[in-house]
Amino acid sequence: MNKEQILDWLDHVYHCNGSVVDILDDGKLFNHSSEPNSYSAPEGEDVNSYAIKDIQIGDEICEDYGAFEWPAWFKDLCYEFGAGMDYFEI
């Protein structure tokens, strides 16, 4: 993998319950917001995400990525490759 491919991968994965999850479906269309209109359901739920506000046609679907699990090794990897993940801090 070249650096561009690594950055793209880091931009579309997250850490959950001890695993790195690669988003392969329309979940890649979700964006980050500190004022989200949806959230990821806890493990064991039948649905992956829930709307927490009305979402109109044309609105972005946003979650607060800062609420996800970000272990130190994953943050270090992101910073090593310059993946601008401003929703968490080391």
Side-chain angles (χ1 to χ4, degrees), residues 4-15 20-31 65 68 70 74 78 83 85 87:
E4 184 177 318
Q5 291 169 313
I6 293 169
L7 287 171
D8 184 62
W9 182 79
L10 287 170
D11 194 38
H12 291 102
V13 299
Y14 64 97
H15 185 270
V20 173
V21 180
D22 193 356
I23 304 168
L24 301 174
D25 60 14
D26 289 341
K28 287 186 178 185
L29 302 175
F30 281 49
N31 292 303
Y65 294 172
F68 295 174
W70 301 110
F74 188 82
C78 290
M85 310 284 188
Y87 36 82

Side-chain angles (χ1 to χ4, degrees), residues 68-88:
F68 295 174
E69 297 175 20
W70 301 110
W73 64 266
F74 188 82
K75 292 180 189 178
D76 291 345
L77 186 63
C78 290
Y79 284 114
E80 177 182 340
F81 286 95
M85 310 284 188
D86 61 351
Y87 36 82
F88 59 68

